[in-house]
Amino acid sequence: MIYDFDPLATKISLMTQGLNIDKSEQTTALLERLGGFREATNDAIDIYLRRPGFSTPKYTEMVVNSPLGIRYTPFSPFSLRANGDSLCLYYYNTVINDNIGLFPSDPLADKIHPSGYPYSDVAFLSGDRLRVHVTNTCRFRKDRDHNGEDYGCHFCNMKNGEKECDTFDADIIRDVVSDYLALGDSYRIDHFLVGGQSPVDPDMSATLRTVRVIHALAPNEHIYLMSTPPRNLTDILKLSKAGVTEFSFNIELYNHAYAKKYMPGKSAHKRSDYLSALNAARFIMNDDDKSCVRTMFIVGLETISSLKQGLRVTIDNGIQPMLSVFRPMPGTKCENLLPPSLRELYMLYNEIEQWCEERELHLGPTDIYCQNNTLSLPY
């Protein structure tokens, strides 16, 4: 299936097995000419599989987030190698794509704001979007139980900033976002994602402030909010009026027992809290756009049966589901767990996509660049 370039099989394999970058002088020189590559989330690289120069039986352009630094990557059959002036994707020693694109390295990542915060704590480039943080501190990692363990998610490798900030003020957000917008077309920013970490923001005031700053700077661009459910559902309406065009309240693990085990802090939010927030957002947003309200599930940390229960509930409520494949990140409490099998993921995609189509939905997200780390394909 890989040799025939089945897009789904190839994407699943790249997301799960990762890839290696050839260390030869030729490949190193080509990468330097291309301006290097951008470090992506989850210790990975985002690669753009563009239409190749040769013919393949089936082909879909897609962006894939493929790990570089997890435990099993050295055994991956995939590698990036130079072939003349082209960067090619190899499966063992066979070229399966001769037109791989990379995203240029983030030129502002190491810049320090006058406040002392690195730009990368505040915002960073990811695909065709600028991801803007409300905070550089996860509130769940600051709290401890009686054993001294924090309440952070066991599968997450995000760390608090060296100089911690509960929420960034408007001036910091404005300065950093303005500098990114000034980079021009070479660093394409088609929309914004507000999210990451878990701020101390019970009334959503800091999130609203961040959204308003972005909307004032880029009034015509989409703003995608990813957060835990607000305590007051009327805050969703406020956020929509402030400029949010897409909402995602990520359930992640549907079964409460698994949620409590793997994400002790977030599990304080009941599954019903997520469903209430998602349904409220669905009611508030334009019904013509069925993909503007969505939720993420993690595949591989709960039973398939409980995962499917959550998927059925959300799909039946008109919420676009997203499937994130569990990745054993180094330095986390889950680093020694195995990801789900490639066959299991392939079968799951086809079954859930059929469920979605019955409700005029598709596995999300819809944007090709935002699909990089989800079990989804362009359509």
Side-chain angles (χ1 to χ4, degrees):
M1 296 173 77
I2 303 296
Y3 286 115
D4 290 338
F5 200 83
D6 178 314
L8 178 59
T10 303
K11 183 174 185 180
I12 289 172
S13 299
L14 279 167
M15 286 198 304
T16 306
Q17 297 175 289
L19 57 77
N20 296 287
I21 298 178
D22 178 41
K23 304 296 185 184
S24 70
E25 291 184 7
Q26 183 184 11
T27 301
T28 301
L30 177 60
L31 288 174
E32 288 179 357
R33 290 200 303 273
L34 294 173
F37 61 86
R38 185 182 305 166
E39 294 182 10
T41 55
N42 298 325
D43 289 1
I45 181 174
D46 286 338
I47 61 172
Y48 190 168
L49 284 76
R50 299 179 299 206
R51 293 198 177 276
F54 56 83
S55 176
T56 54
K58 288 194 287 185
Y59 191 76
T60 301
E61 290 195 347
M62 58 187 179
V63 179
V64 183
N65 178 271
S66 188
L68 295 173
I70 64 173
R71 173 166 297 190
Y72 311 106
T73 302
F75 304 104
S76 172
F78 296 97
S79 61
L80 289 181
R81 307 181 208 170
N83 189 346
D85 291 329
S86 298
L87 189 62
C88 299
L89 177 65
Y90 282 76
Y91 182 68
Y92 293 107
N93 289 314
T94 299
V95 177
I96 60 171
N97 186 287
D98 65 351
N99 191 16
I100 295 294
L102 299 179
F103 297 90
S105 57
D106 189 329
L108 299 178
D110 297 326
K111 186 174 179 178
I112 305 296
H113 186 268
S115 61
Y117 297 108
Y119 271 46
S120 57
D121 277 12
V122 183
F124 62 89
L125 294 168
S126 178
D128 68 337
R129 64 185 181 263
L130 183 68
R131 183 164 179 165
V132 184
H133 289 162
V134 178
T135 178
N136 68 351
T137 305
C138 176
R139 71 178 189 267
F140 301 123
R141 294 204 182 279
K142 296 179 71 173
D143 297 331
R144 304 280 165 173
D145 63 18
H146 63 279
N147 294 317
E149 297 287 332
D150 66 56
Y151 289 90
C153 298
H154 293 183
F155 48 82
C156 177
N157 68 341
M158 276 191 175
K159 294 180 175 61
N160 290 348
E162 291 186 15
K163 180 185 176 184
E164 294 185 7
C165 178
D166 283 343
T167 57
F168 294 116
D169 65 36
D171 289 338
I172 294 174
I173 299 291
R174 187 178 297 107
D175 291 345
V176 173
V177 172
S178 295
D179 282 356
Y180 271 104
L181 290 173
L183 290 174
D185 294 339
S186 297
Y187 299 89
R188 124 183 224 178
I189 298 175
D190 287 344
H191 61 143
F192 297 85
L193 171 62
V194 175
Q197 309 284 46
S198 295
V200 180
D201 191 24
D203 61 355
M204 301 295 283
S205 59
T207 303
L208 270 166
R209 181 174 67 233
T210 302
V211 169
R212 286 170 177 147
V213 169
I214 295 170
H215 185 62
L217 293 170
N220 298 319
E221 302 298 347
H222 284 271
I223 300 175
Y224 171 18
L225 175 69
M226 184 182 291
S227 77
T228 52
R231 293 181 182 177
N232 190 335
L233 296 182
T234 59
D235 289 337
I236 299 173
L237 180 59
K238 294 177 185 176
L239 287 159
S240 175
K241 290 182 176 180
V244 173
T245 56
E246 302 171 73
F247 286 93
S248 183
F249 305 115
N250 293 337
I251 294 173
E252 296 180 293
L253 299 173
Y254 188 68
N255 182 283
H256 183 71
Y258 287 104
K260 190 172 182 180
K261 177 180 179 179
Y262 289 114
M263 45 186 203
K266 285 184 179 178
S267 67
H269 292 278
K270 299 176 182 177
R271 308 300 90 185
S272 57
D273 294 339
Y274 283 90
L275 292 171
S276 295
L278 289 163
N279 285 327
R282 178 73 276 160
F283 177 78
I284 290 168
M285 302 305 287
N286 185 351
D287 283 340
D288 292 337
D289 184 1
K290 294 182 178 295
S291 66
C292 67
V293 179
R294 59 184 76 104
T295 188
M296 181 86 76
F297 291 92
I298 298 173
V299 185
L301 289 178
E302 66 178 321
T303 63
I304 289 294
S305 60
S306 64
L307 168 64
K308 287 182 178 179
Q309 286 176 11
L311 286 163
R312 175 56 77 186
V313 169
T314 51
I315 291 169
D316 286 349
N317 279 276
I319 310 301
Q320 184 182 51
M322 300 180 290
L323 295 175
S324 175
V325 179
F326 164 68
R327 188 173 290 174
M329 300 301 297
T332 68
K333 295 177 182 178
C334 293
E335 67 177 330
N336 294 319
L337 300 182
L338 289 171
S341 73
L342 308 184
R343 178 177 176 80
E344 184 178 39
L345 292 170
Y346 195 93
M347 294 175 66
L348 180 69
Y349 171 88
N350 285 305
E351 181 177 3
I352 304 306
E353 180 65 14
Q354 184 175 346
W355 290 8
C356 289
E357 289 175 358
E358 292 169 0
R359 298 287 178 171
E360 297 182 344
L361 292 166
H362 288 278
L363 277 166
T366 304
D367 180 77
I368 183 174
Y369 297 93
C370 296
Q371 291 180 349
N372 59 337
N373 62 346
T374 62
L375 192 58
S376 56
L377 291 174
Y379 59 87

